[in-house]
Amino acid sequence: MSKIICSAAIRGAHKIVGTAETKCEDALKKWGPDQEIGFPNTTYYLPIIYGILGIPVKTLGDAKGVLDKCKKLLPAPVSDKVWLPYLAPALEAGMATFFAEEIIEAIRYLEEPDFYTKGEDPLPDNIWLGAADDVIMRKRGVEFVDGTAPGFAAILGAAPTKEIAVKIAIELQEKNLYVFMCSDHEGKTMSEQLIEAGVQIGWPTRLVSFGPSYTAAVFAMGFATRAAMSFGGIKPGDFAGNLRYNKDRIFAFAMPLGTVTDEWYANAAGAINWGFPTIADTPIPQVLPTGICTYEHVVSNVPHDQIVARAIEVRGLKVAISKVDIPMSYGPAFEGERIRKDDLYFECGGGRTLGVELTISKDMSEVEDGKIEMIGPDLDQIKEGDKLPFAALIEVAGRQMKPGFEPILERQIHHLINYVQGIMHIGQRSIMWIRVGKAAVEKGFLLKHLGKVIHAKYHQDFGNILDKVQIKIYTDEERVKEVLEMAKKLYKQRDERVEGMTDETEETYYSCTLCQSFAPSHVCVITPERTGMCGAYNWLDCEVSYEINPTGPNQPIEKGECIDPVLGQWKGITDFVFKASRQKIEQVSAYSLMNFPMTACGCFECVATILPLCNGIMIVNRNFMGMTPCGMKFTTLAGMVGGGNQTPGFLGVSKHYICSRKFLKAEGGLKRVVWLPKMLKEEIAERMEPICEEMGIPNFPEMIADDTIGTTEEEILPFLEEKGHPALTMDPLM
Amino acid sequence: MTIEIPKIAYAGKIKEIPLGRGENIITVGGESCCPFHLFEGAMPHPPKIAMEVYDRAPEDWPDTALEPFADVAGDPVAWARKCVDTYGAEMIALQLASTDPNAEDTPADEAAAITKKVSDAVEVPLFVFGSSSVDKDTEVLKAVCEACEGKNLIIGPLAEGNYRAIGATAIGYQHTVMASTPIDINLAKQLNILLGNLNVPDDKIIIDPTTGALGYGLEYCYSVMERIRTAALVQEDERLQFPIIANFAKEVWKTKEVRLSEMEAPLLGDQKKRGILIEAMTAQCVLLAGADILVMRHPEAINLVKESIQDLMIRGES
Ligand code: SF4
């Protein structure tokens, strides 16, 4: 920690403890040690002292005892010559500060009983509310726990003008934060500024005028300390538990506006103990390294128009957006809507015009959350039937964001836009296609609104990995071309990255246990080269899903030592599956049909099974209704494979996995495949090509029989022989 | 020849949850064996029955169900007292059915006032159910929590969509919660994890896995309940080691089989007896699946089930 800050904080703490001592001595003389003191209507005594030290201060005598402890806690003032690690002493000084301030405030309650209003709202002749009683704390504390109010800003001092004060207050209110105000700067207080500007203050508007002195900061800290005891089950005196609860759950920060005095430094140092950083508008030294707080400790010299955004970022607060603010309805119900020619007002992409969608991640400083720019004409500037090129560039930033997540986020655009009533979206990347219906335009829909949709939904669905989203929508031909060029380069890089990712390059695989709801012992093991059998989850999806929901169905598994590279067995995987299958599955191979095959749930895209006569494997997809050479239709096969059982010779697979280099490696891979329904063969033809090239049999697809050749083994065998299918000469399958 | 009965030693144990307050606390849970496998472990607290009370006079009940309560319907306080005084109810389950936005949409403060009155009128543990409308329940149950501070009510359903708001309030006012999920073991576990993350204490959680009526998907509910219980006992799945509540009376008494009169369906036999038996049979099934608390309606069905529980709790020679 900065030496300047530390010495100032320690100096401040000495002053404050000194003041408390004097006040306490005077009071003792006047009232005696048995005089009761405390904050009104609370069972938490002086809450910081009670929460941290476990001491219930009931009398002046008790207060005296605590002050003696404070003095022991106070580190010696920092001398110029010594260079110590400053953080710890400064934090202790901060603690002593709060204890002393609570005592000062408690004595104030004793000496001036009407100094505070003791209610939820300010009175005409007294705006200072003082400590929240237990009723207020309980009622408001619930909001902190359930997330309707994520935390609070403790503001010390005043803004340079009342207009700036109002702007800061409103911005904080918009983020659902409470604003706890105390202290003055050059005789002005933020509370008074707000009142002057006609803003209603009090608990109901979340603008809480605690008190005119800096010592009223303890009302904010005491609130947080009590919340931990009341809602976190933290016992009085369990200081570590209390501080951790606050750091992890209460998104609070200190915002000193104006000259930071020694006393303010002392308070700020104290707040760091709770994990609450300080964001200042004056050029005080910064304390950036993270340690106690989630991110930085003290960030300074922040301009007023950025101070709220910066505070939220530093405290790691997630933005909650509950509603998609557009002029039409929004929801999954509208996903399947079609816009027909007659209803069409406008379309773009889809081969009609240039069209592209791109999501990229950027540095936190490069993205302004919620900024939506429209570059080129929007729908209100064109006529029905006009066409425009289209590019949507979505820039996201987040402390947890990784470039690897970009394609996953980008893929969401399709359904997110489809959820808008009256809009149809098809495809992705540079083959995207949007149709806007006449009804939507009548309701006032603009392309710009797509930005709002994406901004809101990205925050809602991916808040765990991103903090900021800004969107640029282009309909200007030149600019669209620029985006398209950039996108093409990125698409290429991404494809290469995914291609280059193999089961060998990754140490962590993922589980999926989503289907355990109906197949209790089923576990999908998802590796870079083997997607989940439903086709809906690949390795990257699982990684993101885990980041978003760490207790969810996709858990990382350290694959551990390799037991058999051909079968695809690893120690870590075996152990995990044994446990996750409730001890039913003792061994599992990722690459084998015959040897401990993976269990199947029921929602696999395809089933693979053996054809003994042809010494090969057939695969049938769910949509194929006809008979297959194994003598069973898909439905019958599905009944045999599913239910979370291991059935050697039968396997649920995704379409994607068929064209993987790891496809049934143990049985010889794609080369073993002797029969596919024609529809499936056509669907995967393009992706089969490179694999066939690698196998050295570029015309391999022609050797695979399909339903037009036959639907019994006897019918297809002559065909395979005629084509010289490699499976016929491979090792016997059984 | 003596026959050796095979025994399983269960590693897990269900948590014990105290319901209600003061001298009237009733503890549920604590099992260290499958239901009634007393030869394998202990069931320190036999399953309990909570008698239903409705906040409004029910309009769509068959007469056979309404008959015992005809004199108190519409007065939840009198109804609750009758359950306790006349029928010896061990617990009461107040169904705030009229708060349903699709029904009367009774406002939250009114529902809270009713609950408060009922909770003042009876000493036994009080379960309070909202209408299973995520948003409305949030309002209603938050108000109920506030109004009945410190009474340790058991409130629910807490669903994925509102567990935070209701859970947080329940913590603040010290009530117990029912974590409700739609017949799915994973979701049940997930919700319990989430409640734990929210800091709801472990001795304040009851699992409501959703229970249908006999003939209406009961077997599916049964197997989910059974799996929750075995996962808790055998696999030591810590987040599933909570007592289970089965709230099925309202399901039973709306089925066709219970509502058809003997005139309409002579083959089905006496209508009253039929309803009572279907309710009792449903209860019997979920008892065997692992339910700790049964929410029931008809006094005669309740008597049958109580007797059955007593019989099952007699520890035979092993
Ligand atoms: S089939 Fe899909 S959803 Fe089901 S467990 Fe496997 S990956 Fe998960």
Side-chain angles (χ1 to χ4, degrees):
Chain A
M1 202 183 216
S2 145
K3 184 168 175 175
I4 301 179
I5 293 192
C6 289
S7 8
I10 292 171
R11 256 195 327 268
H14 276 274
K15 286 191 214 167
I16 293 167
V17 173
T19 311
E21 273 194 293
T22 321
K23 287 209 187 275
C24 191
E25 288 305 329
D26 291 352
L28 275 169
K29 268 185 219 134
K30 196 157 147 204
W31 316 83
D34 294 333
Q35 171 63 43
E36 286 186 13
I37 55 165
F39 294 164
N41 300 322
T42 175
T43 53
Y44 294 95
Y45 309 98
L46 301 185
I48 304 178
I49 296 173
Y50 189 51
I52 301 299
L53 298 175
I55 301 175
V57 174
K58 297 177 197 160
T59 63
L60 276 174
D62 298 338
K64 176 87 178 53
V66 171
L67 281 175
D68 291 342
K69 278 197 195 311
C70 282
K71 279 199 292 198
K72 289 208 195 87
L73 204 60
L74 270 185
V78 179
S79 90
D80 286 344
K81 292 179 209 86
V82 210
W83 191 256
L84 279 168
Y86 290 105
L87 188 56
L91 294 180
E92 283 177 2
M95 271 295 179
T97 300
F98 286 152
F99 300 155
E101 287 178 348
E102 269 194 335
I103 290 169
I104 295 175
E105 288 294 344
I107 293 174
R108 198 200 300 274
Y109 270 106
L110 176 67
E111 296 193 320
E112 300 170 73
D114 295 326
F115 189 85
Y116 295 117
T117 67
K118 306 188 199 96
E120 282 219 349
D121 294 293
L123 302 174
D125 58 343
N126 185 3
I127 63 165
W128 304 115
L129 303 179
D133 64 19
D134 280 1
V135 176
I136 298 177
M137 191 276 297
R138 191 93 32 73
K139 186 158 138 206
R140 305 289 165 178
V142 166
E143 300 176 355
F144 284 65
V145 181
D146 75 13
T148 33
F152 63 82
I155 296 189
L156 293 96
T161 67
K162 63 174 190 274
E163 289 72 26
I164 294 176
V166 171
K167 198 168 161 287
I168 292 176
I170 289 179
E171 259 186 83
L172 289 165
Q173 277 178 313
E174 279 170 1
K175 306 288 184 212
N176 302 323
L177 292 160
Y178 274 87
V179 183
F180 291 162
M181 297 172 286
C182 64
S183 199
D184 70 298
H185 168 62
E186 292 171 354
K188 274 189 299 182
T189 68
M190 169 110 164
S191 307
E192 286 159 341
Q193 286 180 318
L194 293 179
I195 290 177
E196 268 173 46
V199 177
Q200 197 192 340
I201 65 168
W203 281 98
T205 55
R206 299 190 174 180
L207 302 172
V208 183
S209 44
F210 270 140
S213 155
Y214 61 84
T215 50
V218 289
F219 297 142
M221 300 310 292
F223 185 91
T225 311
R226 274 193 289 171
M229 288 189 275
S230 177
F231 294 98
I234 309 283
K235 297 274 166 296
D238 174 7
F239 62 91
N242 202 309
L243 301 180
R244 197 175 328 110
Y245 181 91
N246 273 287
K247 178 191 167 207
D248 292 344
R249 291 170 189 264
I250 308 281
F251 287 92
F253 46 87
M255 190 185 280
L257 300 177
T259 318
V260 179
T261 60
D262 288 352
E263 287 83 350
W264 283 18
Y265 274 122
N267 276 286
I272 289 174
N273 285 299
W274 274 252
F276 303 163
T278 291
I279 291 84
D281 64 345
T282 48
I284 60 175
Q286 308 218 91
V287 182
L288 297 184
T290 61
I292 313 228
C293 297
T294 311
Y295 301 117
E296 297 84 1
H297 294 104
V298 178
V299 176
S300 64
N301 211 12
V302 183
H304 292 111
D305 58 344
Q306 288 167 25
I307 200 161
V308 172
R310 190 81 179 104
I312 279 167
E313 186 190 321
V314 170
R315 184 61 184 96
L317 179 65
K318 297 292 175 180
V319 184
I321 298 170
S322 51
K323 198 175 159 289
V324 180
D325 184 20
I326 53 171
M328 47 265 306
S329 301
Y330 187 83
F334 306 107
E335 193 180 6
E337 245 181 335
R338 296 269 151 247
I339 308 291
R340 309 204 188 278
K341 267 228 145 53
D342 302 340
D343 305 327
L344 183 68
Y345 187 89
F346 165 80
E347 64 182 329
C348 59
R352 276 114 183 123
T353 67
L354 287 180
V356 59
E357 292 160 357
L358 182 66
T359 299
I360 53 174
S361 56
K362 303 216 115 180
D363 190 78
M364 285 290 267
S365 61
E366 293 174 295
V367 181
E368 185 185 324
D369 186 46
K371 184 165 161 197
I372 298 165
E373 281 176 275
M374 182 74 213
I375 299 122
D378 206 330
L379 294 183
D380 51 357
Q381 290 149 2
I382 61 161
K383 295 191 305 296
E384 180 177 335
D386 283 359
K387 292 195 167 79
L388 288 172
F390 177 90
L393 177 63
I394 295 113
E395 293 166 320
V396 300
R399 307 239 189 195
Q400 311 292 332
M401 184 68 201
K402 299 182 194 165
F405 298 162
E406 292 169 357
I408 312 268
L409 291 171
E410 190 180 288
R411 228 169 48 202
Q412 309 301 320
I413 299 173
H414 168 65
H415 79 262
L416 296 184
I417 293 187
N418 248 336
Y419 280 8
V420 183
Q421 184 187 23
I423 311 292
M424 182 175 100
H425 184 281
I426 289 175
Q428 49 166 329
R429 287 191 168 182
S430 55
I431 56 166
M432 54 74 60
W433 176 21
I434 292 179
R435 282 189 149 187
V436 180
K438 286 177 195 159
V441 177
E442 271 161 32
K443 280 195 184 168
F445 177 79
L446 297 173
L447 292 175
K448 202 173 71 186
H449 292 130
L450 296 177
K452 289 206 170 180
V453 169
I454 293 168
H455 173 254
K457 293 304 285 182
Y458 267 20
H459 273 297
Q460 272 175 19
D461 297 353
F462 299 95
N464 273 11
I465 52 175
L466 51 79
D467 296 308
K468 293 176 170 186
V469 184
Q470 74 184 15
I471 294 114
K472 297 182 184 126
I473 295 189
Y474 302 89
T475 52
D476 173 278
E477 180 106 26
E478 282 314 303
R479 305 294 298 275
V480 169
K481 279 187 187 152
E482 280 169 34
V483 178
L484 190 61
E485 278 318 302
M486 170 166 79
K488 280 190 176 153
K489 268 192 221 119
L490 282 168
Y491 294 155
K492 188 149 171 286
Q493 282 171 14
R494 286 179 191 172
D495 289 346
E496 281 166 5
R497 188 159 59 214
V498 175
E499 286 290 299
M501 220 166 56
T502 67
D503 289 0
E504 288 77 22
T505 58
E506 300 306 318
E507 287 309 311
T508 306
Y509 298 162
Y510 284 90
S511 66
C512 184
T513 47
L514 206 62
C515 291
Q516 285 201 344
S517 37
F518 51 91
S521 53
H522 172 68
V523 187
C524 267
V525 176
I526 296 169
T527 75
E529 292 182 86
R530 178 170 181 169
T531 57
M533 52 191 69
C534 56
Y537 283 83
N538 68 27
W539 188 89
L540 276 172
D541 297 320
C542 292
E543 190 186 17
V544 176
S545 148
Y546 173 66
E547 291 272 347
I548 292 169
N549 181 6
T551 59
N554 301 114
Q555 293 294 321
I557 325 173
E558 284 303 318
K559 69 179 179 189
E561 185 193 324
C562 183
I563 303 170
D564 189 320
V566 178
L567 289 170
Q569 296 178 347
W570 301 264
K571 179 97 182 36
I573 304 292
T574 308
D575 293 347
F576 183 94
V577 171
F578 182 62
K579 224 175 97 212
S581 68
R582 297 163 205 275
Q583 287 141 29
K584 230 183 118 194
I585 308 299
E586 298 185 358
Q587 180 58 279
V588 71
S589 316
Y591 311 145
S592 177
L593 172 70
M594 305 301 290
N595 220 320
F596 299 107
M598 204 174 285
T599 57
C601 40
C603 51
F604 31 77
E605 284 186 301
C606 309
V607 177
T609 186
I610 53 168
L611 295 176
L613 202 60
C614 306
N615 198 33
I617 290 168
M618 59 152 278
I619 307 168
V620 55
N621 55 319
R622 190 172 285 272
N623 303 348
F624 183 74
M625 304 294 178
M627 183 46 80
T628 77
C630 71
M632 288 180 267
K633 292 184 184 176
F634 179 87
T635 43
T636 322
L637 277 169
M640 298 199 50
V641 206
N645 299 316
Q646 229 166 13
T647 332
F650 296 90
L651 189 68
V653 294
S654 67
K655 291 173 184 166
H656 189 272
Y657 178 51
I658 303 173
C659 302
S660 154
R661 285 177 188 82
K662 297 294 189 309
F663 178 69
L664 302 186
K665 199 171 152 199
E667 280 78 33
L670 191 61
K671 252 189 226 174
R672 274 285 184 190
V673 177
V674 293
W675 189 89
L676 292 171
K678 194 159 195 288
M679 60 195 288
L680 179 58
K681 193 154 112 183
E682 282 168 2
E683 194 181 330
I684 60 173
E686 201 181 315
R687 295 190 39 249
M688 250 196 306
E689 265 173 41
I691 304 285
C692 297
E693 291 282 346
E694 273 172 41
M695 296 192 310
I697 328 174
N699 63 338
F700 180 68
E702 293 161 27
M703 299 177 177
I704 307 175
D706 58 36
D707 48 306
T708 60
I709 312 282
T711 51
T712 64
E713 284 208 67
E714 289 74 12
E715 279 169 15
I716 64 168
L717 187 56
F719 170 86
L720 300 173
E721 280 167 345
E722 183 200 317
K723 295 280 178 189
H725 193 292
L728 299 173
T729 54
M730 288 166 82
D731 287 344
L733 257 180
M734 311 208 296
Chain B
M1 208 181 99
T2 47
I3 297 170
E4 186 71 18
I5 297 179
K7 288 183 193 169
I8 297 178
Y10 303 98
K13 183 169 176 276
I14 308 303
K15 296 184 199 347
E16 297 191 284
I17 313 283
L19 304 177
R21 65 208 134 99
E23 285 166 14
N24 300 296
I25 282 183
I26 296 183
T27 303
V28 292
E31 296 92 332
S32 58
C33 60
C34 279
F36 308 106
H37 284 211
L38 301 177
F39 53 96
E40 289 180 331
M43 273 181 92
H45 313 291
K48 292 285 181 304
I49 297 169
M51 267 186 98
E52 277 193 322
V53 169
Y54 279 75
D55 56 344
R56 288 282 191 275
E59 279 162 13
D60 52 351
W61 286 18
D63 290 343
T64 46
L66 196 56
E67 185 202 300
F69 311 108
D71 55 334
V72 288
D75 181 349
V77 171
W79 189 336
R81 280 254 53 107
K82 182 168 188 186
C83 288
V84 175
D85 297 341
T86 311
Y87 300 117
E90 304 166 300
M91 304 173 167
I92 296 292
L94 176 61
Q95 303 271 13
L96 297 173
S98 78
T99 59
D100 189 336
N102 298 318
E104 258 173 87
D105 204 8
T106 304
D109 48 354
E110 204 175 305
I114 294 173
T115 311
K116 174 83 169 57
K117 277 193 214 140
V118 174
S119 74
D120 287 340
V122 294
E123 298 77 35
V124 297
L126 180 63
F127 293 76
V128 182
F129 288 95
S131 59
S132 296
S133 146
V134 170
D135 295 333
K136 187 65 189 293
D137 281 356
T138 311
E139 275 177 56
V140 170
L141 295 175
K142 280 178 79 165
V144 165
C145 283
E146 269 188 65
C148 305
E149 173 169 12
K151 291 210 164 161
N152 193 14
L153 306 182
I154 308 94
I155 56 157
L158 269 71
E160 204 196 334
N162 60 15
Y163 79 93
R164 291 185 71 92
I166 306 178
T169 316
I171 302 174
Y173 298 94
Q174 291 136 42
H175 298 293
T176 300
V177 299
M178 293 182 271
S180 166
T181 41
I183 333 182
D184 184 310
I185 183 169
N186 289 311
L187 295 179
K189 180 174 172 182
Q190 167 86 358
L191 188 53
N192 290 347
I193 295 176
L194 294 171
L195 286 170
N197 292 349
L198 194 67
N199 259 325
V200 175
D202 273 359
D203 63 355
K204 296 231 178 260
I205 298 176
I206 305 275
I207 302 178
D208 172 3
T210 309
T211 314
L214 185 67
Y216 289 81
L218 179 61
E219 52 287 358
Y220 193 50
C221 306
Y222 180 101
S223 74
V224 167
M225 207 179 274
E226 187 184 41
R227 279 179 51 212
I228 291 178
R229 186 46 54 97
T230 32
L233 292 172
V234 183
Q235 281 120 28
E236 285 174 78
D237 204 328
E238 193 265 331
R239 289 325 285 170
L240 289 172
Q241 291 171 341
F242 296 94
I244 297 172
I245 187 164
N247 179 16
F248 54 83
K250 61 186 172 56
E251 305 298 327
V252 167
W253 291 95
K254 73 177 182 213
T255 63
K256 180 172 93 232
E257 288 72 10
V258 164
R259 307 178 69 90
L260 284 176
S261 71
E262 208 177 334
M263 295 272 282
E264 291 164 300
L267 280 178
L268 293 180
D270 180 59
Q271 191 195 349
K272 179 176 166 197
K273 206 163 163 190
R274 202 195 309 145
I276 292 169
L277 285 177
I278 293 184
E279 184 176 10
M281 282 307 298
T282 308
Q284 191 68 27
C285 290
V286 295
L287 275 179
L288 298 180
D292 294 275
I293 306 144
L294 313 175
V295 177
M296 294 188 65
R297 184 171 298 174
H298 202 288
E300 290 181 46
I302 293 174
N303 285 340
L304 286 173
V305 177
K306 270 193 186 161
E307 247 173 71
S308 170
I309 295 175
Q310 270 168 18
D311 289 349
L312 287 165
M313 288 304 296
I314 297 171
R315 196 173 183 287
E317 291 306 310
S318 60

